Amino acid sequence: MSDEQAISAVVHLYVDGMAFANEAALRKAFHPSASIVGNYQDSVEWLSRDAFIAAVVMEGSAPPETQPLMEVELIHITGDAASVKVIDEFGGARYTDYLTLLKVDGRWLIVNKVWHRHT
């Protein structure tokens, strides 16, 4: 599997994990020390991986027949670092997510997510 394919697989895991409130998938996609950052209600929201996963689980799963929106607009790889721009939906809203990934012990993991919620 190429690095681009492996990164795409992590992005799929992330989007499906959010859509279906799949804690195990999200834990597999994110590094334990990852940060999730964006503007929420006029202030910066800065979450740990575990706080982010808890919020996703609290939101609940989309219906099983749902086909999650995932539009990967960019994958850029330099050695063991990569960035991905992906459009997705969560909790009835559309987001642009900028994901930073790092190859750790041969496996790509999301180490940072910066998000923008479309209005």
Side-chain angles (χ1 to χ4, degrees):
M1 180 182 298
S2 72
D3 282 333
E4 188 166 334
Q5 290 169 322
I7 290 166
S8 291
V10 171
V11 174
H12 273 86
L13 197 61
Y14 156 67
V15 171
D16 284 349
M18 277 201 319
F20 301 111
N22 184 330
E23 183 176 346
L26 292 170
R27 288 190 181 284
K28 189 173 180 183
F30 282 87
H31 186 278
S33 298
S35 296
I36 295 83
V37 184
N39 288 311
Y40 182 69
Q41 297 180 348
D42 297 325
S43 64
V44 176
E45 179 181 76
W46 202 297
L47 299 176
S48 67
R49 178 195 70 173
D50 292 343
F52 170 70
I53 291 171
V56 169
V57 169
M58 189 174 357
E59 178 69 27
S61 178
E65 67 278 1
T66 301
Q67 179 61 45
L69 172 70
M70 186 180 88
E71 297 174 7
V72 176
E73 293 194 348
L74 169 77
I75 296 177
H76 186 85
I77 306 165
T78 304
D80 62 358
S83 60
V84 175
K85 179 182 179 185
V86 61
I87 310 298
D88 53 57
E89 291 178 340
F90 176 72
R94 183 167 290 208
Y95 291 85
T96 297
D97 294 334
Y98 295 91
L99 307 174
T100 306
L101 293 89
L102 186 67
K103 197 171 196 179
V104 178
D105 296 327
R107 209 172 121 234
W108 288 99
L109 295 170
I110 300 167
V111 295
N112 190 54
K113 169 187 164 176
V114 176
W115 54 267
H116 168 77
R117 182 175 185 209
H118 298 265
T119 54

